[in-house]
Amino acid sequence: MAAIYSGISLKLKSNKTAWEDKLKLAHFAWISHQCFLPNKEQVLLDWARHSLVTYYKKKLELKEDIVERLWIYLDSILHSRKLQTLIKNGKTVNLHFSLAKIINERISEFSASDTQRNVCAVLSCCQGVLSTPALAVIYTAKHELILELLNKLCWLACRRPEGTFISQLFEVLHLAFSQYLLIQRQQVNPNRVFGEVIGHLFQPCLVLRHLLSVGTWAQCDQGRVRQYLSREVRNQIELVIQGGIFQPELLSSYKEELLLKEQSKDKKKEAIKNILTPTDTMINKLVDVGSCEPSLHVTVVANSVSLLYKLFLDSYSKEENQLICFHLLPKLFGCLRISCLPDEQVEALLLSDWTNELLVVEQLLNLVANNSIYNVAADRIRHKEIQFQFYRQLAELLIKHSRASVPAWFRCLKTLISLNHLIVEPDLDDLVASAWIDAEVTEPRTKKSQESLIDALFQTYAKLRQVPRLFEEVLGVICRPAADHLRQPVLTLNLTVALRDCLVELPPNQILDTWSLLLEKCQALVLPYVKGDSDMALKLLSLSLLLHGILFSMRCLDSGTPLPVVKRTQRVMEKMLQEVIQPMLNLLSNYQSQTSKLDLWLEKVRDSALLLSYTWAEIDTMLSLNCRQYVPVVGAASISSETLNLSSFLAGINMKQWEKVEELTKHFAFTSRYCLELLYMQKMKRTLMRMSFQSDIDLQTLRDDAAFILHSGNKSMKQGEITMWNQQIGTLSASSYPVAHWHLIMSNLTILISYLSSNDVTYIASVLLGTLPTTKTQESSAEEESSITIGQVSRALFHSPLFPEMQSLHSAFLSCVIERCTRILLSGNHNDKKLLSQQLPWLFEKDHIIITQWELKSEKHRPETLESKEGVAQNLLTLAKTDIPIILKGDQLERIMDLLEFFSVLKLDSLLPSHHVHCFLLLLSMATNTKADSSCLSTGSLKFLMTSYQLLDYLQRGKNARLMFKIMYASDIFEVILTSLFNVSKRFLIDVDTPCWLEFLQVIGTFLEHFFEVTVQLKLSLVLNFEKILSFLSSCTIYKEATSGKHLENRDSPSRQLLLVSLTKLCQILSCYVEQKKFSSRLPDLLQQAILHTGIFVQHCSENKDWLLPSVFISSVTTLLEVELNHQSRARDSVCSEAKDSMLLSHTAQYRKVYSWILTELPSLAANDQSFKLALQFLTLFSSILELHPSEDTVFVSIFHSIKRVLADPRIQVSEDVEPLMVALFNQLLVDGTTEEFQMVMQHILQGLEISNIWRPDINDILSAIKLIKLLLKCPSDGEKIRSFWVVCPQIISALTFQNKEACQDQSLLLTVVVPILDTVASLLRQGESIIKNPHHVSLAFSILLAVPLDHLKPQEYSSVFLGIHEVLFSILQCHSKVMLKALPSFLNSFYRLVSSVMHEGRQKDKGNTEDLTIVLECARLVERMYSHIAAKSEDFTMFSSFMVAQYVSELQKVTLYPAVKNLLKEGIYLILDLCIERDIHFLRTSLQPGVREVFKELYNDYTKYHKNKNRGEEKYTA
């Protein structure tokens, strides 16, 4: 028996024992069971504490490393599991208060000096004490110790933010705050709590909260300060301040102090002296610098003001406390520098200081608005406008010290306006000047705040019906002396929209008052002084743009408008024309230009005159159309066809004046030119509206006007730099005018196109083609969403449904594309240019006629250059055989590909006959006679050929397809294409098993299929054409070499594939049409020949499988089998019954050979989806034809074992496209198979699910069993076989449960085994809804779900596992609701795992990618969906709704989610909150932990604001 050590206590106390030995003995004594000491734990703790206390009281001298080891030893004891177990078992272990004191002293020392020795050990000891309630009593029993600790910890964090111990420090802070909050709630003396918080915690807590808010530790959060911990500490600080300073018991003290003058007039002075003054105490402490650095103190004060006001309102904001809530506001506002410093110092503040303080002011004002502190009527009647006066002073301060570069400045003013417009009314002119007219705002965020403020002004004065009052101030500001060239446009696009929204609801008299006011200001203050004055001219333009914006934003008068309003409108229109527009035009017409360049004032007057002229004409037209009482200033009766011109719009203005104005627009005039184009457009519309516009003069006028509009901007469209345009006339410049001009033409093209000459239409088409963006060109992003570019305008027209309807433009555009393609081809490298020019005259000779030969009825009118169809075919065939193509370089090929993109968008199936033939010849020439040079990749050439044949396919299916075959015979086209393809395939340096080659073969196959269809449907000499096609295919070199039996090289494999595709498609199409009597009776014979040739070629290919791709070969064999089967059935129908039995398929041996080969190679074929799908199709067809089945073995067994090998291979993933074909094959086998064969399948499934299989290295049996179950479930067959499957279903579920439990132990099996098990269980539960009777078998699914891990998974693993669990839960919820009710806790527990995991994965991380976030978002949508289904079954989940909400907020409190993830989850939990009754909400508010309670409060507020109230409007419509 081991010796029992004793006497250690004496040695520890002995001065003779070395400290090294003491530490070793103490450590040994703690960990050893052989050491006996009475009350050993208490003795060792006391020894370590006493040693440290003695050392720090200077009564003992120790080395630094000994002190450090003592702290570490004490820490190890405090954190040991042994001590925790002893305390848990009820043993008493006491700590002395002296330990708390020396911990506090050490933390204070770390904060005051740079030394950090032992800091981690001290903090760890403190954490160990605070985390154990039995030990934490040394702090909780003495308030001053926990207060001192919190004070020191806060200052340590603030003064050493970069320390390596910061994460540990925040954990200690979190624990210390938690302990203090418990103490604070138990206090009964509110004054004492107030004093404790103010005296010890107020300033350090505010400083720490400020540092947390500005993200001081955001950059060092990786592994140190977790986000949720810092947020938790911030929340605890707010709770401490609110619970200490704003206690409900202190409300009376605040009232007596803040309302002292009103409520204490009759009290004695002695009583006044004795009241507690919490506000002054708090304010004095807030502004006192104390231990804080002065530079930091300023920002801390600013950021704390809004917090304190928010906490005050949270505590005391009730309807009866509105006044007291206001009275604190001026006092807190007085702490800000902008309120307490002299004007000179306020003006000298830095922009960053202004930004901070204005943000605080904004927060204060928002709190006032959101808490309904300011009641205008109550303030005026009861309180002598005390609040109004404060807000007025604040508004004066903000307007006096304008800060238009700070977004918060605008937002503060907006909030003041929303409180009461009278607050800013006395300074409205200065507000308009500083915030709108004279504001220099360029930054987008600031611009948005500015527009929001101005929008608020519009809305406010529109509601008050005082819009003229607002615009009177605006006009006054515009007309003030100022540097107008520095001013920005008065109305931006967003302001125009805001103005329109306000003006459209105004009564007409308000609009007319504003309109008249504008005209008066313009007439009185600007026009008399505009000559020679650039500033006045700029003011005139600003007023004109403003008037234009107002008139285009107002609601037009209609026939229901009162007559006095119409008469007044007519007078204002006359006044505008005679007193504003006419003087400007007179000024322009009297000006004699001495130089080519105009003065600035004259430019602006010209722009203003034309803008207002267009505005006036547009308004006049609209009023004439919509209001029958309105009499146009110039009556329609007085305008004849001869006098209809621009001057006829405007009474009193003659043609010479307009000619002079138009002459002035030739000088650098973008705004004027655009307005003139608008005027001419308006003139065209008026001409078209006249009843007598059909005269020749009218038509010529329309043509001239359309030509003027188009040609006005021709030069500008050719300039180099063209920028975007924000759709505002006032912002037009040299670079944006082309966009405006092109936008005007495109938006009015339906009117213009009928009156433009063919040259003009061609010009528009060429510009359209030149400005269309291609897929490779990147358009410059617009600064604003509303800005447009030329490319966007062109693309909008090109994709518009109106574009094909404009036949002339459509044809011109197509001609431009054809011409551009031809130019590129001509610029290519020609080996024999003379031969090409002879063979392709339609390409090289511009006027070569070939497109009209079918239109010519008489040979005597036939032009000499007209070419016969035999000549065209012979030329193309000669070029294809000689193989002398046009060689294109890489850039040329790319340009042609861009043009072919436009071809693909155009409707090639509905072209004019001439364009149809021209496109056909061009595309055929490109497809058969072009080649990329050696620098281009083969994939690029293949893509070019694919696009060409796809476009040819569109053409041959078009309504004018017959015209193609009037140029060339179908057999000639086929021969040219196949000859060219054979030549091209020899040139490709590409592997024939690459995806691009397979895609190319597919495109060629589709083209040939449609080509043969069209040939049959159009009845184009069927026998002649198909005989020639068959003759060509059977006599071509590729066919002869393949059938001769010679050994051939693999380099000709592409050509053989093309030939096999051609033969197969020919058989397929002939087989489809052979039964239809309306076609030739010779088709069966032709089909027989095609089958014969195809069979021979397939037979030789099967002997040399290296020649072909499996997909091409299997596809051809399958098609051949289908065609021969159909042909045989037709032949059997036409002969006597005795001969039917003797008719067999002609290639039976070949089909059996292919069948055997496919069964052998099926696992390797499954590596490629296309080959696998074709193999499954062949096997399905083969298994259905009994006469093909070999006699030596059953097809069922052979195919089953082959499929089993595929399913057992974990490397083979069956895609969604392949799965239906596999199901079809399996279903066919089940239909034809016997019961014994089906039992063999079930036996394989049960053997595969044996638990021993999961312990083997090879899990193929498990995989094949699981996949077979899924296939069986998807088979539509029913009957005895399927019923026998459901009999063993419980056994399958039990086996899957055990397999899943074992597989979850190995993470490598998650995707291969666990996810398929989840999918299978979900399918079993869905389809077994009325079959699985035993609830136990359904409940087993919960065991499966709870075993599946959701942590530490890769994104793809997480997505698959999450979806699998969700589908199982959804299947139980929807299909087995009765079982779910009995196992509701298991269901909610499984679902809670999903919620918790998606929150964990959706938390904001320092590093992450968008792919991960996309996966998490999909999972969050599934959670939201499940919440909605749970809410739909409200009667089942009502009892557990509060439990679900509690789980949600508990998880949410731990993490900071991405906003997108949080929004999805919130939408789901809102539906659960709908199930909660008032009692549940009260329960949650009282029972949740403090931090979680704050999260719930925020969630419930959002729920009430955004969800509950939104749905309340629907309640009255709900039964």
Side-chain angles (χ1 to χ4, degrees), residues 1362-1426:
F1362 194 98
L1363 178 61
I1365 295 176
H1366 172 272
E1367 289 305 309
V1368 175
L1369 283 174
F1370 183 69
S1371 302
I1372 296 172
L1373 181 68
Q1374 293 294 97
C1375 305
H1376 301 274
S1377 54
K1378 292 183 179 179
V1379 179
M1380 182 204 66
L1381 288 177
K1382 294 179 180 179
L1384 203 53
S1386 298
F1387 178 87
L1388 292 177
N1389 195 15
S1390 301
F1391 178 55
Y1392 172 65
R1393 293 184 71 231
L1394 293 185
V1395 177
S1396 175
S1397 71
V1398 84
M1399 284 188 175
H1400 182 266
E1401 297 296 328
R1403 70 191 187 281
Q1404 293 186 15
K1405 307 170 187 174
D1406 298 313
K1407 293 182 181 178
N1409 54 52
T1410 54
E1411 182 184 355
D1412 294 356
L1413 182 58
T1414 303
I1415 290 173
V1416 175
L1417 284 174
E1418 288 300 321
C1419 296
R1421 287 189 187 94
L1422 293 176
V1423 171
E1424 181 199 11
R1425 173 190 171 201
M1426 184 63 76

Side-chain angles (χ1 to χ4, degrees), residues 603-615:
E603 286 183 19
K604 300 308 173 186
V605 171
R606 175 200 59 199
D607 294 346
S608 303
L610 284 172
L611 176 61
L612 291 183
S613 298
Y614 161 67
T615 305

Side-chain angles (χ1 to χ4, degrees), residues 70 879 918 1006 1382:
L70 277 170
L879 281 175
H918 206 155
T1006 305
K1382 294 179 180 179

Side-chain angles (χ1 to χ4, degrees), residues 1318-1337:
L1318 292 172
D1319 294 341
T1320 305
V1321 171
S1323 300
L1324 285 169
L1325 292 173
R1326 278 196 298 271
Q1327 297 189 33
E1329 179 177 2
S1330 58
I1331 302 173
I1332 303 176
K1333 303 296 185 182
N1334 192 336
H1336 170 70
H1337 297 133

Side-chain angles (χ1 to χ4, degrees), residues 724-1004:
M724 63 197 71
W725 180 47
N726 64 0
Q727 305 182 57
Q728 294 294 293
I729 296 180
T731 60
L732 281 174
S733 63
S735 58
S736 62
Y737 166 72
V739 185
H741 168 73
W742 189 241
H743 180 264
L744 174 65
I745 292 172
M746 293 296 102
S747 55
N748 292 281
L749 198 56
T750 51
I751 298 175
L752 294 170
I753 196 71
S754 303
Y755 305 103
L756 291 172
S757 64
S758 58
N759 290 336
D760 288 339
V761 174
T762 303
Y763 165 75
I764 291 177
S766 64
V767 174
L768 180 63
L769 179 59
T771 55
L772 271 175
T774 61
T775 54
K776 294 178 183 176
T777 57
Q778 297 291 329
E779 287 192 80
S780 57
S781 60
E783 293 176 1
E784 299 178 5
E785 295 179 2
S786 55
S787 297
I788 57 174
T789 61
I790 283 188
Q792 290 172 347
V793 176
S794 298
R795 183 169 54 197
L797 175 70
F798 186 58
H799 293 283
S800 167
L802 293 175
F803 183 58
E805 303 298 325
M806 293 183 276
Q807 193 64 60
S808 59
L809 179 61
H810 193 266
S811 301
F813 182 81
L814 190 62
S815 299
C816 288
V817 177
I818 293 172
E819 182 185 354
R820 190 80 62 89
C821 288
T822 304
R823 285 208 304 267
I824 296 173
L825 291 176
L826 293 177
S827 64
N829 185 17
H830 311 279
N831 291 334
D832 193 339
K833 192 168 185 178
K834 184 177 180 182
L835 176 63
L836 279 171
S837 61
Q838 291 174 356
Q839 305 296 344
L840 302 176
W842 57 84
L843 189 64
F844 286 83
E845 298 176 17
K846 188 174 181 180
D847 299 325
H848 186 83
I849 301 175
I850 192 171
I851 59 176
T852 56
Q853 83 170 30
W854 62 88
E855 296 176 342
L856 297 175
K857 306 297 183 184
S858 173
E859 291 187 4
K860 63 183 180 181
H861 299 298
R862 184 183 296 273
E864 295 179 1
T865 56
L866 185 66
E867 196 165 0
S868 67
K869 65 195 303 183
E870 294 82 1
V872 174
Q874 192 60 44
N875 289 344
L876 286 170
L877 195 56
T878 302
L879 281 175
K881 289 180 177 178
T882 54
D883 194 19
I884 309 178
I886 301 171
I887 302 173
L888 299 176
K889 296 179 181 178
D891 61 328
Q892 294 172 330
L893 192 66
E894 285 184 8
R895 280 187 282 151
I896 280 199
M897 286 295 294
D898 290 339
L899 293 170
L900 292 182
E901 282 184 23
F902 301 141
F903 264 126
S904 61
V905 176
L906 297 170
K907 294 184 177 180
L908 297 183
D909 55 350
S910 58
L911 298 178
L912 293 174
S914 58
H915 287 111
H916 195 103
V917 175
H918 206 155
C919 283
F920 167 70
L921 288 172
L922 176 67
L923 290 170
L924 188 61
S925 302
M926 284 197 297
T928 58
N929 291 290
T930 54
K931 164 190 170 183
D933 67 1
S934 57
S935 64
C936 298
L937 297 174
S938 297
T939 52
S941 302
L942 273 179
K943 187 178 179 183
F944 166 68
L945 286 175
M946 281 191 284
T947 308
S948 300
Y949 282 108
Q950 284 169 341
L951 295 174
L952 281 171
D953 190 21
Y954 292 145
L955 282 174
Q956 71 182 1
R957 287 181 288 154
K959 65 180 182 181
N960 292 315
R962 188 179 290 275
L963 302 179
M964 295 163 44
F965 300 101
K966 289 190 176 183
I967 296 293
M968 296 175 68
Y969 291 113
S971 57
D972 291 337
I973 296 174
F974 180 80
E975 187 174 353
V976 168
I977 289 173
L978 260 290
T979 304
S980 169
L981 287 173
F982 290 153
N983 293 332
V984 166
S985 63
K986 295 175 183 178
R987 293 196 294 262
F988 281 139
L989 300 175
I990 191 170
D991 294 332
V992 291
D993 58 348
T994 55
C996 59
W997 173 254
L998 290 173
E999 187 181 358
F1000 175 69
L1001 281 179
Q1002 189 175 356
V1003 169
I1004 295 299

